[in-house]
Amino acid sequence: MFDTAPPAAARLPALDRRSLFRAGAQGAGVLGAGALAAPLAAQANQRGFSHGIASGEPSASGVLLWTRFVAAQDTPLEWRVTDPATGRVAAAGTTTASPARDWCAKAEVSGLAPGSWYYYRFTAPGGSQSDLGRTRTLPQGPAARWRMAVFSCSNIGFGWFNAYRHAAETNAFDMVAHLGDYLYEYEFGNYPSRAQFAPGRVLTPETEIVALADYRLRHADYRRDPDLQRLTQLYPMILVWDDHESANDSWKGGAQNHQDDTEGPWPARKAAAIRAYREWLPVSDAPYKSYEIGDLATIFALDTRLLGRDEQFDFGALIGGERSPERIAQAFAAFRDGTYADPARQLLGTAQEGWLFDGLKTSRRAGKTWQVLAQQVIMGKLAAPAGLLENLPADVPDYVRRRVALGAAAAREELPLNMDAWDGYPAARDRLLAAAREADADLLVLSGDSHNGWSFDLDHAGERAGVEFAGHSVTSPGYESYLPTLPPERLARTLREANPQLAWVDTARRGYMALELTPERASSEYRFIGTIRDKTSGVAGTQRLTTLAGQRKLALG
């Protein structure tokens, strides 16, 4: 626990689907033509401070503050940062809530002391105030410990954000990191289905989000969650987007879940998604950024999704409707020896790649112990187990059996399971791991995206190159959703046997990672939430994995 007491929780009015849409109808008459600039359903009968507060992108001397204030016109807001021990004002200023930014307002704070907790609050002209928030600057110089709660894949329809609630109630972190899929773009009834949709949850709008107004509404929908509000009230955040903040399996030129003929040009949708994301979250416009944790670590927050990523390979498109095992094997072998290994393929893009490789060297020259990548997709090599097909229950659906069989055929030709991860960009991964080796980096990779918990020993050309902690999801389902009758222990064992880099895996539980860095070791405690179908903060189990400084090797415990 920290000495700086957490402020009181925000008070939120009750909200259900009926009141949400009633608020939208009432607001339409008030704001008229300004409705698209200021989403009406999101206001839910509220004026003033409507969606809590947040802070992000901390440095040793500053932080970015966020709030939302709904009014009839541009409104100046005063903000004040105070020392919780003395009540002294450490920084103050003004910002503006405007319909041009969906009433979201930010303040860039500077001049703070390193390694310190602060309180902050916004005040409107009439005297109304936001909730009281707490934030923290990064340490400078010697740092004995740094703790982060690490999240990914928070689909509001599948259940409650109990992982957020637990991390807030522990009051034991310095910072929060979200590795993407902070929200999901699907329409109501599609992932989750209507039958799977958690009772008490609301999705706004009910259509797939495509335009700027849609993305703003969906952000507002998520921001109303009380556990998300509490988490961001207590800790500063660093965030990176993955695909669902825009559209499923997105890349720089398109997405699996985008059709130009019915949804307009991809650049317009991508721009809308990015704009809403930057309005509604405590982030700057920088596409990638580094954070210095004293002499302990450099954290590199990356974009592996929208900036430089080339289009993913698709096994289905590669083989078409081919059913012959021999011809499928031939197609996979030709692909493996050809375009799969293309050295020109990018995941980061050349500019970000160069920035990162230089940053790894700079961090090591400065004496930092850990070089941490906060990024979206799994880096470890992961192939489908050859024996998985034989272990499938008899009643598994045909489409699952087909998918598993295709993965097994790919694995026999030394191809990976998931082409949307670093596995689909082997040359880009080789460049990164080679750069880490050249810099003598103690590389620690944090990943989201997969919905399951994984830990990998990363190697390059037979040499240890780093370790990876890939986190399980807050709510989104993993392997257990399409292999429900296969015991998770058997699946985990089969996966480990087929993948030498894989040190540990959990394929069935939701939660978050508690990451701890010290000069001697880095560890991730995978925390498993008991349920997401009801509101609770209980943890049903944990698993800790650790690597010692300089070892680049994982161990349980």
Side-chain angles (χ1 to χ4, degrees):
M1 303 288 284
F2 291 115
D3 292 336
T4 302
R11 294 183 297 275
L12 300 176
L15 186 68
D16 58 23
R17 190 183 306 277
R18 181 176 299 176
S19 66
L20 194 66
F21 287 108
R22 183 171 64 246
Q26 292 171 350
V30 176
L31 294 184
L36 288 183
L40 303 169
Q43 294 174 28
N45 277 332
Q46 291 187 68
R47 287 292 185 101
F49 293 103
S50 63
H51 285 80
I53 49 176
S55 66
E57 303 208 352
S59 69
S61 60
V63 70
L64 183 67
L65 306 181
W66 178 95
T67 194
R68 186 170 188 260
F69 185 86
V70 180
Q73 59 189 8
D74 284 6
T75 303
L77 303 176
E78 295 182 356
W79 55 265
R80 180 172 294 185
V81 178
T82 59
D83 183 330
T86 65
R88 182 184 63 85
V89 176
T94 60
T95 186
T96 301
S98 168
R101 292 185 296 274
D102 202 14
W103 304 108
C104 298
K106 297 178 183 178
E108 294 186 10
V109 182
S110 60
L112 304 180
S116 301
W117 288 98
Y118 290 95
Y119 291 153
Y120 65 95
R121 174 169 268 160
F122 293 87
T123 303
S128 64
Q129 292 186 317
S130 71
D131 300 315
L132 181 66
R134 185 184 68 175
T135 192
R136 180 172 172 80
T137 54
L138 303 184
Q140 199 169 57
R145 187 178 76 159
W146 190 257
R147 300 198 72 199
M148 293 197 305
V150 183
F151 304 94
S152 64
C153 306
S154 317
N155 188 317
I156 200 169
F158 277 110
W160 299 95
F161 296 157
N162 294 327
Y164 293 164
R165 175 178 290 197
H166 186 269
E169 288 184 354
T170 61
N171 191 34
F173 296 101
D174 298 291
M175 186 167 67
V176 163
H178 202 293
L179 303 181
D181 295 344
Y182 167 88
L183 54 70
Y184 282 71
E185 85 279 16
Y186 295 116
E187 69 272 21
F188 179 60
N190 180 10
Y191 200 74
S193 68
R194 290 175 181 263
Q196 293 172 317
F197 205 89
R201 281 307 209 183
V202 173
L203 191 69
T204 310
E206 291 196 344
T207 57
E208 181 182 338
I209 55 175
V210 176
L212 176 60
D214 303 332
Y215 283 102
R216 285 170 164 176
L217 279 168
R218 190 62 56 85
H219 274 281
D221 194 25
Y222 275 64
R223 272 297 309 177
R224 280 208 53 81
D225 180 85
D227 296 315
L228 173 57
Q229 286 205 21
R230 183 61 170 163
L231 185 77
T232 66
Q233 183 186 6
L234 296 184
Y235 304 117
M237 307 177 74
I238 61 173
L239 301 104
V240 295
W241 57 53
D242 196 17
D243 53 340
H244 291 291
E245 288 89 346
S246 53
N248 182 55
D249 285 357
S250 53
W251 55 287
K252 65 182 179 182
Q256 176 275 330
N257 192 28
H258 178 80
Q259 295 74 42
D260 283 351
D261 55 343
T262 59
E263 295 171 327
W266 170 249
R269 182 175 184 177
K270 181 168 76 168
I274 291 173
R275 176 172 174 177
Y277 184 92
R278 288 175 173 165
E279 288 172 343
W280 274 87
L281 290 167
V283 297
S284 68
D285 292 345
Y288 44 87
K289 191 170 182 178
S290 62
Y291 301 86
E292 304 298 337
I293 314 299
D295 64 355
L296 187 58
T298 303
I299 300 175
F300 300 92
L302 306 181
D303 178 353
T304 66
R305 187 54 72 178
L306 296 179
L307 185 65
R309 178 192 280 253
D310 291 316
E311 187 173 8
Q312 302 90 332
F313 292 124
D314 185 326
F315 282 149
L318 181 64
I319 65 170
E322 185 59 68
R323 294 278 178 168
S324 164
E326 293 79 11
R327 291 181 179 176
I328 290 175
Q330 291 171 2
F332 280 163
F335 168 70
R336 177 200 64 213
D337 297 335
T339 54
Y340 175 59
D342 182 359
R345 278 177 58 76
Q346 284 282 351
L347 191 62
L348 298 175
T350 54
Q352 184 178 192
E353 204 174 67
W355 167 84
L356 174 60
F357 296 174
D358 288 344
L360 294 173
K361 294 177 183 177
T362 300
S363 179
R364 286 302 286 169
R365 284 197 297 263
K368 313 277 182 173
T369 304
W370 304 102
Q371 287 67 51
V372 183
L373 307 188
Q375 55 93 55
Q376 296 79 355
V377 293
I378 289 177
M379 186 174 291
K381 295 180 180 179
L382 188 63
L388 183 57
L389 190 61
E390 291 74 21
N391 282 304
L392 289 179
D395 60 348
V396 74
D398 288 342
Y399 79 91
V400 173
R401 191 173 297 277
R402 169 72 171 162
R403 184 186 302 171
V404 172
L406 196 62
R412 285 193 291 272
E413 302 304 325
E414 300 179 344
L415 288 170
L417 177 64
N418 182 10
M419 286 293 185
D420 189 55
W422 282 90
D423 262 338
Y425 304 80
R429 177 173 56 196
D430 285 345
R431 288 193 298 272
L432 192 157
L433 294 178
R437 290 284 305 168
E438 182 181 351
D440 191 33
D442 232 335
L443 187 68
L444 179 60
V445 180
L446 307 179
S447 310
D449 184 64
S450 77
H451 306 175
N452 294 120
W454 315 79
S455 291
F456 292 89
D457 292 311
L458 304 174
D459 62 68
H460 176 70
E463 300 291 334
R464 296 180 185 179
V467 301
E468 178 175 17
F469 298 128
H472 43 329
S473 65
V474 173
T475 60
S476 301
Y479 262 112
E480 79 285 354
S481 65
Y482 64 90
L483 294 174
T485 58
L486 186 64
E489 298 81 6
R490 186 195 304 174
L491 177 57
R493 182 175 64 252
T494 305
L495 285 163
R496 289 196 305 271
E497 290 171 351
N499 294 282
Q501 287 190 352
L502 183 58
W504 171 86
V505 58
D506 179 89
T507 65
R509 293 176 287 183
R510 315 277 66 80
Y512 72 105
M513 295 189 293
L515 181 76
E516 180 174 281
L517 304 177
T518 73
E520 296 78 29
R521 68 187 67 235
S523 65
S524 176
E525 183 176 272
Y526 292 78
R527 295 179 173 176
F528 307 113
I529 299 298
T531 181
I532 59 172
R533 301 298 290 181
D534 300 303
K535 292 183 180 181
T536 179
S537 58
V539 167
T542 63
Q543 176 63 62
R544 180 182 292 268
L545 284 98
T546 299
T547 182
L548 300 179
Q551 293 296 304
R552 304 182 182 95
K553 182 73 174 176
L554 288 167
L556 294 175

